[in-house]
Amino acid sequence: MEPIILASSSPRRQEILNLLGIPFRVIVPNVDETITPTIDTDEVSEFIARQKVSAVLHSLPPKQEIFWILGADTIIIKNGRYFGKPEDQEQAREFLKELSGSTHTVMTSIILYNGRTKTTSSRTAKTQVTFAEMTDEEIQWYLDTGEWHGAAGGYRIQSLASCFIKKIEGSQSCVTGLPIFELYDILKEQGYSILE
């Protein structure tokens, strides 16, 4: 299999590529993830994932042969509000209080750049996540774990936050940050086989 450039520093995304046996190397894109109100909420994750791929593509030497670049972005939406990565612990606390006892949508978009055709393909997965009511003490306990760092909405479903997840409707790997079905589907569409 040809190696893929992963435009992400996410250890979870790396774990999923390892699980699938896909060779990769990481290039962390230099992208401003600040969202302007002009972008529709449903398009935010694809917009940022596309920016990540573009940033990596333009950071490479012009004559370097590039086969594949994979970018992904995960956002959380509740009542039309966008929850990205919290800037600090207080914002993480605010996010968790807002998500507590309610259902929100997690959206992860993936963009795959095909260096042979010089084109990109995209897929987006959506999952509904329902949190149980969290007490202030539970929120503080979770914040003290530090898991909120660098996580959309201030939580990681694959770790201790699962203590508070009442229900998931959709793909858990979408919430983790790299939806496996959509990834397999986009690779297959582009002629990249993992069945070797």
Side-chain angles (χ1 to χ4, degrees), residues 45-66:
S45 60
E46 183 175 330
F47 176 79
I48 294 175
R50 199 171 290 282
Q51 280 193 309
K52 290 176 180 179
V53 168
S54 179
V56 167
L57 183 60
H58 291 98
S59 72
L60 297 169
K63 294 188 178 179
Q64 181 175 332
E65 191 172 30
I66 304 158

Side-chain angles (χ1 to χ4, degrees), residues 155-176:
Y155 75 91
R156 296 190 192 282
I157 197 170
Q158 68 279 8
S159 296
L160 293 171
S162 58
C163 292
F164 310 109
I165 305 293
K166 198 172 182 180
K167 185 168 68 170
I168 300 171
E169 294 176 77
S171 159
Q172 182 163 336
S173 60
C174 164
V175 187
T176 303

Side-chain angles (χ1 to χ4, degrees), residues 6-15 24 26 28 156 176-177:
L6 176 62
S8 171
S9 61
S10 163
R12 303 299 178 250
R13 291 181 181 133
Q14 294 174 40
E15 283 172 16
F24 68 93
V26 171
V28 179
R156 296 190 192 282
T176 303

Side-chain angles (χ1 to χ4, degrees), residues 136-149:
D136 288 345
E137 184 182 17
E138 287 171 328
I139 290 174
Q140 187 59 54
W141 171 80
Y142 185 70
L143 292 172
D144 288 344
T145 69
E147 279 187 6
W148 60 270
H149 286 281

